[in-house]
Amino acid sequence: MENKEKFRDKIATADNEGKRLWVFPKKPSGKFYEYRKYVSYVLLIFLFAAPFVKINGNQFLMFNILERRFNIFGFPFWPQDFHIFVIMMVLGVVFIILFTVAFGRIFCGWLCPQTIFMEMVFRRIEYWIEGDRGKQIRLEKQKWNAEKIRKRGLKWFLFFIISFLIANVFLAYLMGSDRLIQYITDGPFNHLSTFISLLIFTAVFYFVFAWFREQVCVIACPYGRLQGVLLDNKSIVVAYDHKRGEKEKGRAKFKKHEDRAATGKGDCIDCFQCVQVCPTGIDIRNGTQLECINCTACIDACDDMMEAVDLPKGLIRYASEENIEKKAKFKFTPRLKGYSIVLGILTAVLVGMLFIRSEVEARILRLPGQLYEKKADNIVSNVFTYKLVNKTTADFENIEFKLLSHQGEIKPVKQSNITVPGQELTEGTLFIEIHTAALEDEKEKLKIGIYSGDRLIETTSTMFMGPRSFN
């Protein structure tokens, strides 16, 4: 009991003085680890390929924050679509909350890029060069001789190369893969500011994966903190079955030919394999902890030991606290139903917005500081500016503006062949002229159609000003 109380005084990766304790996890193996490898490799392929895959000429995923242009699953989003982008972000947050309430921090162990890169790329390189846990600890304590310099130098060099590669892919997401490839072809010194940014990103990734490591999950990531308020005793997490592991007499080392059931000893043989294999250095037997990323390494290690001593597997498993205490099965609780309803509503709203989203965004506004001009034959003229945003990769040519709500004329300053190139913005000035007989008030709302040839591609509205009296 004393050890458990001390455990709660600090995180697993710090000593009593607050100094960091370096984690040397044992190389995991087992059924879940194999599943995680397959999932990780698929996600890594997706991560590296997504910026270079195009759908209808649009990059599959792009988050160009500086130019406020985003591509999500091949659909381009402009600043005018910000409301849709917000709905998508809220939808993602609600989905993560729902998933966490039901299955705990499973995202961190199976899908998080930090975990995938750390455990399936950088850590595996470390095992390949330095060996497993015992060899890594001995190398750490070893003096700087030729062997240590060679191994550490090779490891750090490979870490830097991979960090540089990740930084390039990261930039492809931010600025677009075509522009990145063009910059690489032109040479780094022709785009020095971008090259410096690339080196900064490389240094950040190198720092995270070579030194900061599990501290990202323990200290920096807000999602780990969220699980404290999202989880309840019905959430399925990686859990130690203390009922079975402790029983009446508690844990005890394994002894051959001993009838543990008769002695009252728990099934936990206190081998510490679950602790040694944990990438965040925790003892899962102390209960659910913020450091636990649900990576299942402890499940595989415990199952191997249970099999070796001829005890049932599943001492550490995916389970809820309620399942361990009361053998209760997973239920779709009112809390989960509430989140699901919200998720369904947001999904319906998003789908509806995507269906009504137009290919061209048009905005026509009166020129600031200008009232109206009264011309001959009782014609009233207003001057407007227009902006046309083409959200597709196709060009729209022979653009015409037509009044749909009133009789009158629209005269662009540029009269001939207005074109809106694919994924570009076209702007200009136009005059709208309406006879006073067609006006009923000093401020009239006009409905305007934008045509590409004979095809109506967008409708918009604007306010038209006229004199107070039309007599």
Side-chain angles (χ1 to χ4, degrees):
M1 189 68 183
E2 182 183 355
N3 288 336
K4 290 184 180 180
E5 289 176 355
K6 283 186 177 180
F7 172 85
R8 293 299 176 185
D9 290 341
K10 58 183 178 61
I11 60 175
T13 53
D15 60 17
N16 292 326
E17 283 96 31
K19 185 179 178 181
R20 181 179 177 183
L21 296 174
W22 197 266
V23 178
F24 296 96
K26 185 179 177 182
K27 185 177 181 180
S29 62
K31 177 180 69 174
F32 283 104
Y33 185 65
E34 291 300 313
Y35 292 156
R36 282 179 58 216
K37 282 201 295 188
Y38 298 142
V39 172
S40 298
Y41 295 150
V42 170
L43 290 176
L44 284 171
I45 292 171
F46 175 83
L47 181 72
F48 281 94
F52 303 97
V53 173
K54 294 190 176 181
I55 296 178
N56 296 326
N58 296 316
Q59 187 170 310
F60 189 69
L61 286 175
M62 184 178 73
F63 306 94
N64 192 331
I65 298 172
L66 295 178
E67 297 179 7
R68 297 178 297 169
R69 291 175 59 183
F70 305 89
N71 289 350
I72 300 177
F73 305 134
F75 291 98
F77 292 88
W78 288 68
Q80 292 81 1
D81 297 315
F82 187 70
H83 58 290
I84 299 179
F85 190 73
V86 169
I87 290 291
M88 293 180 72
M89 294 300 103
V90 174
L91 184 67
V93 170
V94 173
F95 178 78
I96 289 174
I97 290 174
L98 172 64
F99 207 67
T100 304
V101 170
F103 302 110
R105 209 173 170 181
I106 193 171
F107 169 84
C108 298
W110 291 77
L111 304 174
C112 176
Q114 160 69 18
T115 303
I116 290 173
F117 275 114
M118 186 69 250
E119 301 303 321
M120 297 300 173
V121 179
F122 289 90
R123 194 88 76 182
R124 287 176 68 84
I125 290 173
E126 203 164 53
Y127 290 136
W128 173 58
I129 295 174
E130 297 183 354
D132 208 342
R133 169 183 163 83
K135 291 182 179 180
Q136 289 183 23
I137 293 174
R138 289 193 293 273
L139 186 68
E140 177 67 20
K141 295 178 180 179
Q142 187 175 310
K143 291 183 178 181
W144 283 94
N145 55 19
E147 180 193 9
K148 187 170 183 176
I149 292 172
R150 183 182 74 254
K151 289 184 175 180
R152 287 290 170 87
L154 177 59
K155 181 181 77 170
W156 291 338
F157 173 73
L158 291 177
F159 280 9
F160 177 82
I161 295 299
I162 296 172
S163 298
F164 184 75
L165 180 61
I166 297 172
N168 274 275
V169 175
F170 184 69
L171 277 183
Y173 279 101
L174 291 181
M175 61 190 295
S177 56
D178 290 341
R179 187 182 299 179
L180 176 68
I181 292 171
Q182 182 62 49
Y183 284 8
I184 294 173
T185 305
D186 293 344
F189 297 107
N190 291 320
H191 306 280
L192 196 56
S193 60
T194 303
F195 183 64
I196 292 172
S197 301
L198 178 64
L199 293 179
I200 292 173
F201 285 133
T202 300
V204 170
F205 288 126
Y206 182 83
F207 168 76
V208 167
F209 294 116
W211 189 83
F212 206 46
R213 301 190 151 202
E214 75 284 341
Q215 300 300 305
V216 173
C217 308
V218 176
I219 298 172
C221 180
Y223 183 49
R225 306 294 183 187
L226 273 177
Q227 73 170 343
V229 295
L230 294 177
L231 298 183
D232 57 25
N233 61 355
K234 297 177 178 62
S235 302
I236 296 176
V237 296
V238 171
Y240 166 67
D241 189 342
H242 58 90
K243 290 287 221 181
R244 178 188 148 194
E246 309 291 322
K247 291 185 179 176
E248 297 86 8
K249 298 293 184 180
R251 312 166 192 163
K253 295 291 184 182
F254 175 75
K255 294 181 180 179
K256 286 185 178 181
H257 310 300
E258 180 185 40
D259 188 351
R260 294 182 74 90
T263 60
K265 296 177 181 178
D267 283 0
C268 178
I269 62 174
D270 215 18
C271 62
F272 283 92
Q273 291 299 305
C274 59
V275 180
Q276 293 179 7
V277 81
C278 180
T280 58
I282 66 168
D283 188 340
I284 192 64
R285 297 172 297 177
N286 286 311
T288 301
Q289 298 145 57
L290 69 86
E291 299 101 319
C292 179
I293 59 172
N294 282 209
C295 68
T296 70
C298 55
I299 297 179
D300 284 330
C302 186
D303 282 350
D304 284 345
M305 293 306 299
M306 290 296 101
E307 189 174 24
V309 298
D310 199 25
L311 288 171
K313 295 181 181 180
L315 181 60
I316 302 175
R317 63 182 186 273
Y318 277 118
S320 66
E321 184 180 335
E322 195 174 65
N323 173 260
I324 292 172
E325 292 284 351
K326 304 176 183 178
K327 303 299 181 185
K329 293 183 178 180
F330 176 77
K331 293 180 181 178
F332 206 64
T333 62
R335 187 183 180 195
L336 289 174
K337 290 177 183 176
Y339 285 130
S340 299
I341 291 171
V342 173
L343 188 68
I345 293 172
L346 289 172
T347 302
V349 171
L350 176 62
V351 171
M353 286 182 170
L354 290 175
F355 269 110
I356 65 174
R357 178 175 176 265
S358 60
E359 294 179 335
V360 174
E361 183 83 21
R363 179 160 296 187
I364 299 176
L365 299 172
R366 292 183 67 258
L367 193 65
Q370 300 293 319
L371 292 175
Y372 62 88
E373 180 183 359
K374 195 166 184 180
K375 295 186 173 182
D377 299 325
N378 290 325
I379 298 294
V380 178
S381 175
N382 283 199
V383 59
F384 295 82
T385 59
Y386 66 85
K387 288 185 179 180
L388 304 177
V389 177
N390 186 351
K391 301 174 185 177
T392 71
T393 55
D395 295 343
F396 288 103
E397 299 178 339
N398 300 319
I399 297 296
E400 291 185 54
F401 301 89
K402 297 180 182 179
L403 279 172
L404 303 179
S405 58
H406 293 70
Q407 291 291 327
E409 284 188 86
I410 299 180
K411 298 178 178 180
V413 172
K414 180 184 176 182
Q415 292 286 344
S416 60
N417 196 21
I418 300 174
T419 300
V420 190
Q423 295 199 17
E424 295 290 342
L425 179 147
T426 296
E427 52 189 341
T429 306
L430 55 80
F431 293 91
I432 299 180
E433 298 180 351
I434 301 176
H435 196 279
T436 54
L439 299 173
E440 298 178 358
D441 200 352
E442 61 182 299
K443 289 184 179 180
E444 293 268 341
K445 186 175 181 179
L446 307 182
K447 186 177 180 182
I448 301 170
I450 294 91
Y451 290 79
S452 177
D454 296 328
R455 178 190 170 196
L456 178 65
I457 57 175
E458 176 63 323
T459 58
T460 188
S461 60
T462 190
M463 297 303 296
F464 186 90
M465 293 189 67
R468 289 181 181 275
S469 174
F470 308 124
N471 298 323

